[in-house]
Amino acid sequence: MLDQRFAASVHIMALLAAHDEELQTSEFLAEGLRTNPTVVRRLLAKLAEAGLVKSFKGKSGGVKIAKLPKEITLKDIYKASTDKALINCREADVPKACKVSCSMKEIFEGVADGLEATSMAYLAKIKLSDILAKI
């Protein structure tokens, strides 16, 4: 299951791209997402660290998109917004005498790695400009 931070971060990036003519505040962005500005600020910090947004401090500060929407992929946003894998493998003690139980973690890690690679390749094909075109 995709992390909620990814969807919120795509929403933030779409808002910033749609309103690129002026700086936006975390309060404005939070209103669009119907969440707390603190949640938005945490996501913006990660997006800024990844070079996707620029942050300006001070009384008239705010954030703006750092690149053109056609230069930003959903993979970029996903990698910036979450540190989790798409699918996590279960970490549990298994009965050593059970051949099936002992093999499942390694088998499922291979499946999860394949899903992750396929998903990242798919997200890399979708640009923020594609999202904006659907709005």
Side-chain angles (χ1 to χ4, degrees):
M1 190 70 107
L2 283 178
D3 193 306
Q4 292 269 343
R5 293 176 291 179
F6 172 58
S9 295
V10 172
H11 193 152
I12 288 168
M13 293 298 293
L15 282 166
L16 291 175
H19 299 279
D20 66 342
E21 66 283 349
E22 57 190 48
L23 294 177
Q24 301 302 323
T25 65
S26 56
E27 288 78 14
F28 168 79
L29 297 168
E31 188 177 311
L33 273 78
R34 297 204 180 274
T35 192
N36 188 299
T38 302
V39 172
V40 171
R41 283 191 285 275
R42 285 186 192 131
L43 293 171
L44 286 171
K46 290 177 176 265
L47 294 167
E49 190 177 300
L52 300 178
V53 301
K54 290 181 185 176
S55 180
F56 300 88
K57 297 185 187 229
K59 185 177 179 182
S60 59
V63 294
K64 65 187 248 178
I65 194 165
K67 299 178 179 182
L68 295 173
K70 67 181 180 181
E71 298 172 336
I72 300 170
T73 68
L74 292 189
K75 178 183 176 183
D76 298 329
I77 298 170
Y78 182 82
K79 291 290 190 182
S81 64
T82 186
D83 52 359
K84 294 180 180 178
L86 285 171
I87 297 176
N88 293 316
C89 297
R90 209 175 122 196
E91 297 280 338
D93 289 334
V94 296
K96 301 292 181 206
C98 180
K99 187 176 179 179
V100 173
S101 297
C102 289
S103 301
M104 288 311 294
K105 183 177 185 291
E106 184 178 337
I107 291 167
F108 197 76
E109 282 177 348
V111 171
D113 290 346
L115 284 170
E116 181 89 19
T118 301
S119 297
M120 290 302 116
Y122 176 73
L123 291 175
K125 293 177 188 176
I126 304 170
K127 307 231 180 272
L128 184 58
S129 56
D130 300 328
I131 301 298
L132 291 173
K134 294 179 179 184
I135 297 173

